[in-house]
Amino acid sequence: MAIDIKLDIKNIGPHNKLYFSEKINTLKVGIYANNGSGKTFIGRAFRSLININSEYTNKLLEIGKTSGHFNFEVNDGKDIRKLNIKIEKNKDAVINNQTGYIFHVFNSDY
């Protein structure tokens, strides 16, 4: 069974604009990329589901930007599950998690 996965990021860490869409066969996903390419910031966005205060979310924003978003979508052909995080400088993140998933981030940060 193919699962459509989408990731749309704007102004999060080094990602001015990042869009990824791919068909996968499992919900276990690993992201591999060169050092300094922004993997940690993607992990931090998922981590913000736990820590949504403005002090933390300000650290997620790209330098010089006042707002950003992190949108994640999974479509298994039956259901579409979405996670949307809206970030504005000096405000708590607005999180709408309709996935029902528990996210595990493995990184030296954590």
Side-chain angles (χ1 to χ4, degrees), residues 87-110:
I87 298 173
E88 290 188 45
K89 191 171 184 174
N90 300 321
K91 294 184 180 179
D92 292 349
V94 176
I95 299 170
N96 185 7
N97 184 359
Q98 300 172 348
T99 66
Y101 299 142
I102 297 171
F103 297 97
H104 299 276
V105 177
F106 299 96
N107 186 305
S108 62
D109 259 8
Y110 311 110

Side-chain angles (χ1 to χ4, degrees), residues 5-77:
I5 186 170
K6 295 179 184 175
L7 186 62
D8 177 23
I9 301 173
K10 184 174 181 183
N11 298 334
I12 302 290
H15 304 293
N16 181 18
K17 182 130 180 93
L18 171 73
Y19 182 80
F20 172 82
S21 178
E22 190 69 40
K23 289 189 183 295
I24 60 175
N25 293 320
T26 180
L27 287 177
K28 295 178 183 177
V29 178
I31 297 175
Y32 300 94
N34 293 333
N35 288 340
S37 61
K39 300 178 302 291
T40 299
F41 279 93
I42 292 172
R44 287 178 181 163
F46 278 110
R47 184 180 186 197
S48 72
L49 290 168
I50 299 167
N51 188 352
I52 60 170
N53 67 55
S54 60
E55 180 181 335
Y56 185 77
T57 57
N58 283 348
K59 294 177 184 177
L60 289 173
L61 283 172
E62 182 180 10
I63 295 172
K65 303 296 182 180
T66 58
S67 66
H69 69 254
F70 180 94
N71 299 321
F72 177 72
E73 182 179 303
V74 176
N75 182 344
D76 66 5

Side-chain angles (χ1 to χ4, degrees), residues 74-91:
V74 176
N75 182 344
D76 66 5
K78 297 176 187 173
D79 296 313
I80 298 175
R81 298 172 183 248
K82 297 180 181 183
L83 164 64
N84 305 104
I85 304 173
K86 293 182 184 180
I87 298 173
E88 290 188 45
K89 191 171 184 174
N90 300 321
K91 294 184 180 179

